Amino acid sequence: MSSPEQWTRPQSGAGSAATAAQPSPEQVIAGLRATTEGGAELTQLLTPEGERLPSPQFDPYLTDVDAETLRGLYRDMVLVRRADRECNAMQRQGQLGIWVPLLGQEAAQVGSGRALQPQDMAFPSYREHGVAYTRGVDFTELLGIFRCTDHSQWDFAGHRFHPYTIVIGNQVLNAAGYAMGQKFEGKVGEEPDAEATICYFGDGATSQGDVHEGFVWAAVYDAPLVFFCQNNQWAISEPTERQSRLPLYQRARGYGFPGIRVDGNDVLACLAVTRWALEECRRGNGPVLIEAYTYRMDAHTTTDDPTRYRLSDELEAWKLKDPIERVRVHLSRSGGADQDYFDEVQAEADRFAAELRDFCFAMPDPPPERLFSSVYSEPSPQLDAQREEYLAYHAGFADGGHR
Amino acid sequence: MSSPEQWTRPQSGAGSAATAAQPSPEQVIAGLRATTEGGAELTQLLTPEGERLPSPQFDPYLTDVDAETLRGLYRDMVLVRRADRECNAMQRQGQLGIWVPLLGQEAAQVGSGRALQPQDMAFPSYREHGVAYTRGVDFTELLGIFRCTDHSQWDFAGHRFHPYTIVIGNQVLNAAGYAMGQKFEGKVGEEPDAEATICYFGDGATSQGDVHEGFVWAAVYDAPLVFFCQNNQWAISEPTERQSRLPLYQRARGYGFPGIRVDGNDVLACLAVTRWALEECRRGNGPVLIEAYTYRMDAHTTTDDPTRYRLSDELEAWKLKDPIERVRVHLSRSGGADQDYFDEVQAEADRFAAELRDFCFAMPDPPPERLFSSVYSEPSPQLDAQREEYLAYHAGFADGGHR
Amino acid sequence: MAAPVTSAKPVTETHTETQATVQKLTIGKALNAGLRAAMEADDKVIMMGEDVGKLGGVFRITDGLQKDFGEHRVLDTPLAESGIIGTAVGLAVRGFRPVCEIQFEGFIFPGFDQISSQLAKLHYRTQGEVKVPVVIRVPFGGGIGAVEHHSESPESLFSHIAGLRVVSCSNPVDAYWMIQQAIRCDDPVLFFEPKRLYHSGALKAPVDTTATPDPLFASRTVRQGTAATVVAYGPSVPVCLDAASAAAEEGRSLEVIDLRTLSPLDLEPVFESVRRTGRLIAVSEAQSESSITSEIAARVQQECFYSLEAPVLRVTGFDTPYPPAKLEEHYLPDLDRVLHAVDRALEW
Amino acid sequence: MAAPVTSAKPVTETHTETQATVQKLTIGKALNAGLRAAMEADDKVIMMGEDVGKLGGVFRITDGLQKDFGEHRVLDTPLAESGIIGTAVGLAVRGFRPVCEIQFEGFIFPGFDQISSQLAKLHYRTQGEVKVPVVIRVPFGGGIGAVEHHSESPESLFSHIAGLRVVSCSNPVDAYWMIQQAIRCDDPVLFFEPKRLYHSGALKAPVDTTATPDPLFASRTVRQGTAATVVAYGPSVPVCLDAASAAAEEGRSLEVIDLRTLSPLDLEPVFESVRRTGRLIAVSEAQSESSITSEIAARVQQECFYSLEAPVLRVTGFDTPYPPAKLEEHYLPDLDRVLHAVDRALEW
Ligand SMILES: Cc1ncc(C[n+]2csc(CCOP(=O)(O)OP(=O)(O)O)c2C)c(N)n1
Ligand SMILES: Cc1ncc(C[n+]2csc(CCOP(=O)(O)OP(=O)(O)O)c2C)c(N)n1
Ligand SMILES: [Mg+2]
Ligand SMILES: [Mg+2]
């Protein structure tokens, strides 16, 4: 954990920065091997085999993590995955217009989401159902977007969870502004209510100008912002090497803030590293970039056909790194949970999904008036006239009248 | 000079890239000291005192540079500065609508411009009069923009010098596309006619999304593109620390291509480093970022008032690093030129300026038809109608008729 | 370089003996065939965009092109629209003829600056010395039950920017020819594709690749009539044609004009028609305010002042953001709303 | 939170005893005074933009504010417009009321995406749960002899985007009040400032800071007349007023309406006027195609169909990019072109 002093007092012994600015060939290579884990670069605390690796740097962020916490994280991930699968199925049944699956990214989302304090703010992209869940957003509240009955509908300020953002990269600047606001309001520092912001985006998003500008702004204003990039290896059909030569976390090097790659399928590592990053930000050492190295196990969305662009081998290899399985194995081996517990969670997940399903099937269509509401915060006579005219016209049909 | 092999074969001994991605405090500090030279980071071949420093890395790029070449560079800079001053004066006299002075940036522009081969392409911003000159664009051809008689008017393809671009950052993407085209056409490699592109922008521009996207594109497509950032310390009234924590050349580190800081007031260093960078690009090792560390000695434009935001001390300090003076001293000391030569160049510069002045005063206004011409490459009946109607209306006045 | 696209000469020949010159195609397949023909005719033509390669684009309009022409002619670009358009401008300056795909119209906005500041203006800025023959393909419009940003109609914005040409096709034959003509045009062309019609089997039509196409920058009367004129473009054209059929059954004869070129407009056929019918209904999915339909109304009321027996009426999207898709049936002009407007115009 | 801006209550009080409540100000100084008053009234109001701090903006509209309110309330931002607007959106979500300065209208385009995708839509997207009270100040229009991108009039583009409010002021009194009202408005407001009038001594007017301002979103008849109506906004208003004076000398009485709100439009005063005069000339420096003046013509021809004795005529910039400034006198609507249009309307 670095302190503000460490950031602002020069130390001796650094080599020529000009040399540092020339990446080594292996750094270049690393970027080209988009589907390799990155070896030593990767922060991992729980191996795919469920083995707990010690980490002097990050273990201090997990001192409160006992078997109960682990069971909680396991449960979170199982529930979120089950809900995700249910939504995927409901899309196939025509109940949702589209679904954006998070399958495979449960650890990245639950781990980072659980690292947040209530006072922290989160800016999601459109796949962060797991983060939404950790922020206390009811899964049913997400459905409207995908059933096309609304455009985002939860208590944004209450949950401190911003609306989903579909235009790639936009939310990164919005989050930078929000975090600047936290700073300007004096919410950064050693006080217990100190705040930070986290912002989610994908590997593809890193190419967008807005993401760069978010990096520039956050760095220049020392904004308490954690950039959380879920590198799920694909931007629809494009692998990460279409976006970058170097591993994405290294992008931070050019801006002067830390970048780190974490095993995105390791919920403990995601929790610890995000806690560290948030803490850095809260204390005024932000921003920080986290690249969560993970994999999109399903299609980009339910309208996508990944067989056109990637091999099933890849999927098989990643199955072995499943984020839930490794926690299950670890809990079993360490005696943190037994089969009964797992069965219970599964049953709860099934109930969770069934409720979601019932809710979804019963969702009403919005009334036509909704079309005209909330365009502005104050009324607009022009729009009022359009509404009146349309509703009168529409009523004509309802009354069985002529068009 | 690195070769493609060096770029693509891994070598042992590199530390964890994760660590490398966390900038050291002094790197952060360096970015905050926007007006210090950067010490060891700076590539300099000719000191402000006119002393030639040896450079194992860059001397190989100057083997052809003899006294005659040096005299030529000196002459280039004196002429360009003289013309710049003349234009500044003509603006004050109402002959130009605005002038964008390059004072202080002669070495960066002449050095980099003279590094180009005829087949190379250059994309300027709006201050690159010195580069224009090295591309064979007649100084008189620049005047139309500033006299507001045209929007850029020279033989762009012939000089391989793109129109001036005023919207900050736009030209970086255009240059990336052009360089991609050179690559796609097989013009990159060991052939003597191999090509590269150079693109100019300022320190302020580095914050723009387009510049980032230019970095991404050029890196992903291995485009033969030299990004030439003239860090003149100011973006109008904003010092460089409003844009970045780190020295700007280090931005390249996050993308996986080399970045280097050169003394922008040292014409030899600019020449050598740009030759090196172009050579890298030509051979397929591009892109490369060069930060030319220099100073805007005059106002941002003739409409600007720098006394509102910077101290004259700063100017005085930079006067000691004058780009022309150090070449003059070096030539004198080394016997490369005597006072007669300097006087002759001065006289030539005065003639150059006088011609420019005569030309400018005689520049005609464009005819009203110009307003409607070249909107499209093929005629548009709608526009033709607007033109006919307006010209008829306008002729009514000329004939002394009523409106 | 390229022959004037306003000429009526066919811009491609069938390329193999074995291939039939007439095939029944959807709009999507016709665009694909048109792009293929353009790439065969000129090796400077390249495709750029997100997912246009292996995937063939999310709508499969570039399907198979990367496989056949290679990765250097069909580029899966980084995910950034300013980058796509900005590099296309540079490629065009270099002599290429880039065809950019914007995945959905709602994602064109990050590229707005490059479009308006560079693409639209370079030709004028340089008095025609620098040509930027870039085509930007934009799937647009609603009615596909999509989430936000996937159903908008931003074409009016581009029609307000001088230096751009904006066109839209509404049927497979036009799709096949117009895309080729747009690519051959030396001006930048924003090519708006009616996404919900891409794969419409009902609109499938025989496309004769040896035929002589209409000029690109001309409107076309697609149904003759006498009682009122209806003008539309892109996805609204089939709606208006259906409305005209329905009206015919009720004994009212509607003339329908497919604008095809949205900027600069070719309104002569509209003026001529309105002088006969005395009534005009302009239809578009876009918001009405400061739009192409506003422009049509403004110009028609001026040119046909004494012919109009009713004001020009507009049937458009409302002046709201595009609503959640469950409400889009209310937002989009449909047969009933068009006929309602016709009724009002006739009753005026 | 903020009182409805459509109310007629003054939104600020004079803040010190010593300061006069009535001062003669230019538009530029009035804006500066209005910004200062807004910052004093609400400490969530912050200024952001390029060079707005020490320099006070290239037009000095924010002059002195950083000195008096500090670097945390007047931010010299990095050079990127998407960043300015995108972070302003986030700051607004956090509870701030950011006032962004775009240095010249030609540089708003890199921020277009954030404006249309986030700023305009967040309120609608969230059914009003998320408010983004951001004001974007945009110096616009020509006539200052500038290089490219410094003289454009892009306001119509924003009027086509639902969810935004677009306004423009034309005199010091409005400048002082409208900027404060815009800042208090919970909707995003694009505030177009007539840059060539900023420092016009001729337009200097007494600004009474204790007066009751007109509502923000209302047009205003600034000169009454009977023969024809002229509607304009921003820099064209003084041109039209001059034209009306000149016409009066020739015995023709023109009514002049200052639109003030460009989107949504407040056309009732225009309709009412046209019903009396029977003639309308809409004036704007912007290109005509798909513009605010198109919209005015489209709506007036519909609402006043039987009152119009001549078509609505428009006097606007041409459908070309803004020309080199030596030609701008031809491009910009001036007194003569306005009167020429009046002549045509009267002779129709
Ligand atoms: C500006 C913009 N351009 C294009 C799209 C279409 N699009 C949606 S998701 C996507 C890929 C995003 O990839 P990535 O950032 O890696 O996130 P992931 O979907 O993998 O989570 C694209 C191109 C968009 N939403 N926004
Ligand atoms: C997109 C855009 N925003 C704002 C401006 C206005 N502007 C012109 S030059 C300038 C500062 C540029 O600074 P820098 O990039 O350092 O280049 P320099 O002028 O110092 O050479 C600004 C803000 C612009 N031209 N384009
Ligand atoms: Mg991804
Ligand atoms: Mg600068």
Side-chain angles (χ1 to χ4, degrees), chain A residues 126-127 166-168 202-205 208 232 234-236 300, chain C residues 50 79 81 103 107 110:
Chain A
Y126 43 77
R127 201 186 292 281
I166 291 175
V167 180
I168 301 288
D203 43 292
Q208 279 286 8
N232 63 7
W234 293 94
I236 309 187
H300 171 69
Chain C
E50 295 154 9
L79 203 177
E81 287 73 12
Q103 200 159 78
F107 309 133

Side-chain angles (χ1 to χ4, degrees), chain A residues 275-337:
Chain A
R275 279 181 170 179
W276 161 77
L278 287 165
E279 209 52 42
E280 287 288 299
C281 288
R282 231 183 278 292
R283 301 275 175 84
N285 300 333
V288 173
L289 169 65
I290 299 174
E291 177 193 4
Y293 201 79
T294 179
Y295 192 77
R296 199 193 75 209
M297 296 297 286
D298 201 339
H300 171 69
T301 69
T302 44
T303 63
D304 181 35
D305 173 10
T307 63
R308 292 179 71 102
Y309 54 81
R310 68 186 192 185
L311 298 172
S312 54
D313 294 15
E314 203 178 278
L315 200 70
E316 293 309 317
W318 277 92
K319 273 189 187 153
L320 303 176
K321 301 178 196 163
D322 187 74
I324 299 183
E325 192 53 24
R326 67 178 77 180
V327 181
R328 210 185 60 78
V329 171
H330 179 76
L331 278 170
S332 296
R333 288 220 198 111
S334 64

Side-chain angles (χ1 to χ4, degrees), chain B residues 93 100 154 227 242 279 299 390:
Chain B
Q93 295 155 8
V100 182
W154 49 84
F227 297 104
R242 295 316 311 145
E279 209 52 41
Y390 180 73

Side-chain angles (χ1 to χ4, degrees), chain B residues 82-265:
Chain B
R82 185 65 186 82
D84 177 70
R85 294 298 83 196
E86 192 64 33
C87 291
N88 217 59
M90 288 196 291
Q91 195 281 336
R92 301 285 177 219
Q93 295 155 8
Q95 289 298 317
L96 296 178
I98 192 172
W99 182 245
V100 182
L102 63 68
L103 193 71
Q105 301 180 215
E106 296 86 355
Q109 297 195 12
V110 167
S112 62
R114 286 292 179 215
L116 295 166
Q117 298 289 327
Q119 72 271 23
D120 294 333
M121 180 71 181
F123 283 76
S125 173
Y126 44 76
R127 201 185 293 280
E128 276 68 67
H129 324 312
V131 184
Y133 166 89
T134 67
R135 296 309 283 161
V137 176
D138 201 292
F139 228 96
T140 57
E141 295 181 292
L142 300 173
L143 294 179
I145 298 175
F146 302 100
R147 198 178 160 95
C148 300
T149 56
D150 67 52
H151 282 333
S152 269
Q153 191 73 342
W154 49 84
D155 180 355
F156 311 100
H159 295 299
R160 298 224 162 191
F161 189 67
H162 194 69
Y164 272 14
T165 299
I166 290 175
V167 181
I168 300 288
N170 278 182
Q171 76 279 13
V172 177
L173 275 168
N174 304 156
Y178 191 94
M180 283 163 64
Q182 291 174 315
K183 176 100 193 290
F184 294 166
E185 287 179 5
K187 294 292 189 187
V188 170
E190 305 293 327
E191 310 298 311
D193 66 343
E195 297 185 22
T197 295
I198 192 166
C199 176
Y200 292 86
F201 54 93
D203 43 291
T206 59
S207 294
Q208 279 285 8
D210 272 14
V211 174
H212 159 74
E213 295 181 19
F215 286 5
V216 169
W217 248 260
V220 162
Y221 290 99
D222 304 324
L225 179 57
V226 176
F227 297 104
F228 197 92
C229 175
Q230 286 172 83
N231 178 358
N232 63 8
Q233 312 303 324
W234 293 95
I236 308 187
S237 74
E238 301 195 17
T240 311
E241 63 257 36
R242 295 316 311 145
Q243 320 288 341
S244 183
R245 283 180 172 183
L246 292 186
L248 294 170
Y249 73 92
Q250 294 188 13
R251 197 56 66 75
R253 307 194 306 174
Y255 299 90
F257 54 84
I260 187 166
R261 179 181 274 184
V262 61
D263 181 345
N265 284 12

Side-chain angles (χ1 to χ4, degrees), chain A residues 145 147-148 151 204 208 235-238 242-243 308 365-366 371 382-383 386 390 393-394 402-403, chain C residues 50-51 55 63 76-79 81 148 250 252 289 319 322 324-327 330 336-337 339-340 343:
Chain A
I145 299 174
R147 198 176 160 96
C148 300
H151 281 332
Q208 279 286 8
I236 309 187
S237 74
E238 301 195 19
R242 296 314 311 144
Q243 321 287 344
R308 292 179 71 102
D365 284 357
L371 217 156
Q382 179 171 326
L383 211 54
Q386 288 187 9
Y390 180 73
Y393 159 83
H394 184 61
H402 188 253
R403 57 176 178 259
Chain C
E50 295 154 9
D51 308 293
L55 188 62
D63 193 26
D76 273 329
T77 64
L79 203 177
E81 287 73 12
E148 226 188 330
E250 298 177 9
R252 278 166 311 160
E289 206 176 331
D319 289 321
Y322 200 85
K326 283 277 186 198
L327 290 170
H330 299 287
D336 286 319
R337 274 174 68 202
L339 290 179
H340 180 65
D343 290 351

